Amino acid sequence: MNGKVAGAALVSHHPGLMQCEEFRVLQGAGADSDLIAGYARLRQKIADASPQVVVIFDSHWFTTGYHLVDGGERYSGTYISDEMPWYLHGVPYDYRGHPDLATLIEAVSRERGGYNRVIAHPDLGKQYATINLVKQLRLEQAGLPVVTVSSCQNCDWQHFLASGAAIGEAIRRSGLRAVLLASGALSHKFNPIDWKPNHPRIFHETNVSRPENIASDKQAIERFCQGRHDEVLAHWDEDYRRKPWEAFGAHYLQMVGAMGGADCSARGEPLSAYENARGTGNIHIWFDTEPHLRTRGAAGTSEFGFSTQQVGA
């Protein structure tokens, strides 16, 4: 039982950043977005953490009845999005799974009366919330095995925390060093199809759908920077659940559940600017889990301009 969460991140999987070449040329290959540069910063964080496995909480893999855990040996194919096939197609992928960890996650969950279950069907489709991270973070080239976890749509937020807690315990029992990636946005309200940008830079934060969503997202980011996951969870029902976050926050909730839930005090480090994507709020944030427990309340400012003053204490 010497395994550990060696690092974690909330990561945007913004589909505009993995377009086919025709659209990448037309739209500037993501030059308008700091999330592209942020992937490089995140790659370095992952390399420094030296993981043996990466767990991706996929906010696009919707399931009903169970939190499914992808337990195959290997995944390969060519990805096409059923959501946006006109520009998101022809993406080859070939990466390893980790069946032993997936099986252990189910075993721990069953011990606890939980709902995590393994699926290892060879024809199981993939979502770009996983594939984009595999490609942008170069997990294939690194040879890192990937275990993807679904977002169960008939769950409340406490169920996601419990799912994550079982995953965290399975990691500890496995003896593996794991990096957790919560793949998804914060506020997730799309702009209408005929919407006109507020700012000429399409990814600029003022193009996020609503001013109140921007304010809420930035408040969450400040709490992350302070390691105040307890405050985020305390305000979940009246704020973040109502905006709502992508997949109702399943990706974040399972990640933080694996790190201790409300007891987690891992501080966040923004690795990109906060940006718009079709009206949704996106950012990359790394959580350094090695010093896990820290003194809360120290003020400061991150590289990307977010105050780290304690919020809501």
Side-chain angles (χ1 to χ4, degrees):
M1 296 178 63
N2 296 319
K4 67 185 303 183
V5 175
L10 180 66
V11 190
S12 172
H13 57 240
H14 182 353
L17 308 181
M18 61 177 295
Q19 298 163 337
C20 62
E21 188 60 27
E22 173 190 0
F23 278 84
R24 284 178 58 79
V25 170
L26 288 174
Q27 299 194 19
D32 189 26
S33 173
D34 188 52
L35 293 169
I36 290 285
Y39 283 125
R41 300 174 191 124
L42 181 53
R43 285 197 298 269
Q44 186 58 56
K45 291 288 187 182
I46 293 172
D48 291 344
S50 301
Q52 296 164 293
V53 65
V54 173
V55 178
I56 296 178
F57 300 100
D58 188 316
S59 59
H60 275 230
W61 185 16
F62 287 110
T63 53
T64 307
Y66 291 113
H67 312 281
L68 291 186
V69 182
D70 209 341
E73 290 273 1
R74 190 170 204 97
Y75 301 100
S76 63
T78 302
Y79 178 75
I80 180 170
S81 167
D82 56 1
E83 180 184 355
M84 291 164 286
W86 62 92
Y87 78 65
L88 191 50
H89 62 259
V91 182
Y93 62 89
D94 185 1
Y95 64 93
R96 297 165 52 206
H98 202 301
D100 290 345
L101 178 58
T103 300
L104 185 54
I105 289 170
E106 176 173 334
V108 172
S109 181
R110 284 182 180 276
E111 285 177 13
R112 298 174 171 216
Y115 303 98
N116 293 10
R117 299 293 184 268
V118 173
I119 182 73
H121 198 287
D123 295 327
L124 183 67
K126 298 298 161 192
Q127 306 296 327
Y128 67 72
T130 288
I131 298 300
N132 196 9
L133 268 56
V134 168
K135 304 303 289 187
Q136 294 284 355
L137 300 176
R138 300 176 185 169
L139 302 181
E140 295 164 305
Q141 293 93 322
L144 281 170
V146 174
V147 172
T148 297
V149 181
S150 78
S151 298
C152 182
Q153 63 184 344
N154 59 323
C155 290
D156 205 345
W157 63 277
Q158 295 93 341
H159 297 119
F160 290 118
L161 288 177
S163 170
I167 291 168
E169 174 61 20
I171 289 168
R172 283 187 285 276
R173 295 188 194 181
S174 73
L176 298 168
R177 288 178 62 86
V179 161
L180 311 179
L181 301 177
S183 180
L186 301 180
S187 63
H188 200 252
K189 170 68 176 176
F190 289 116
N191 288 323
I193 195 168
D194 58 353
W195 167 83
K196 305 300 182 186
N198 301 315
H199 193 283
R201 277 188 53 227
I202 192 64
F203 297 135
H204 193 270
E205 66 177 54
T206 55
N207 288 326
V208 170
S209 58
R210 296 171 178 171
E212 58 267 33
N213 287 2
I214 297 171
S216 176
D217 286 350
K218 288 195 170 184
Q219 183 182 65
I221 291 166
E222 289 189 14
R223 286 174 170 148
F224 290 152
C225 289
Q226 276 296 305
R228 294 309 303 261
H229 300 277
D230 57 338
E231 287 288 335
V232 172
L233 296 176
H235 290 84
W236 194 265
D237 279 330
E238 69 268 25
D239 190 355
Y240 310 120
R241 173 63 179 81
R242 293 173 182 266
K243 289 303 179 271
W245 283 16
E246 186 163 14
F248 300 110
H251 53 312
Y252 164 72
L253 292 167
Q254 290 185 97
M255 178 191 74
V256 79
M259 298 192 294
D263 292 331
C264 175
S265 58
R267 292 188 180 182
E269 177 186 351
L271 297 183
S272 75
Y274 169 69
E275 293 188 1
N276 161 67
R278 292 280 182 180
T280 70
N282 289 257
I283 192 171
H284 305 321
I285 302 181
W286 175 258
F287 297 100
D288 185 359
T289 59
E290 294 286 5
H292 195 64
L293 297 176
R294 306 189 190 201
T295 302
R296 292 172 170 154
T301 303
S302 82
E303 176 186 354
F304 297 93
F306 296 108
S307 167
T308 58
Q309 195 73 265
Q310 185 168 332
V311 177

